[in-house]
Amino acid sequence: MYGYNIKMSSQDKENIIKEFLPVVRYTAYRLSWRLPPQISVDDLISVGLNGLFYAMERFEQGRVKLKTYAQYRIKGAMLDELRAVEWI
């Protein structure tokens, strides 16, 4: 194991969510032109927030910046959701 996860307080988590909410929305709207009809932008925003929560859980201080890690996790979660609902 490379390091230990730093436990964040609920106030720190709330601040991170407020900081990254525009990033989640921006990413969802960027992907929205490729949406299948059964997925809405709100669904992508919800999945992106789940990706952000996962990034906050798995983030290890010192390996990479939180912003970089969270952006990849957010977009990855959205793309995974699009792959899951697209059967072709």
Side-chain angles (χ1 to χ4, degrees):
M1 185 155 217
Y2 293 106
Y4 295 101
N5 294 345
I6 296 174
K7 299 295 180 192
M8 291 185 245
S9 68
S10 61
Q11 184 64 32
D12 291 339
K13 289 180 182 180
E14 186 175 332
N15 290 338
I16 290 171
I17 292 168
K18 286 179 183 178
E19 179 183 342
F20 279 97
L21 192 56
V23 174
V24 172
R25 287 186 182 142
Y26 175 77
T27 306
Y29 281 108
R30 288 278 305 209
L31 292 174
S32 68
W33 67 274
R34 295 188 271 179
L35 287 179
Q38 64 267 27
I39 295 274
S40 70
V41 175
D42 293 334
D43 292 336
L44 281 182
I45 290 172
S46 175
V47 171
L49 286 173
N50 287 337
L52 176 60
F53 296 146
Y54 186 75
M56 286 190 301
E57 282 179 11
R58 304 279 299 175
F59 177 69
E60 292 180 8
Q61 188 73 26
R63 293 189 64 189
V64 69
K65 292 181 182 179
L66 177 61
K67 182 176 181 179
T68 305
Y69 185 67
Q71 286 175 340
Y72 281 109
R73 283 305 213 177
I74 290 166
K75 187 172 182 179
M78 290 179 187
L79 291 175
D80 287 344
E81 179 66 18
L82 289 175
R83 284 187 209 111
V85 298
E86 190 64 35
W87 57 274
I88 295 178

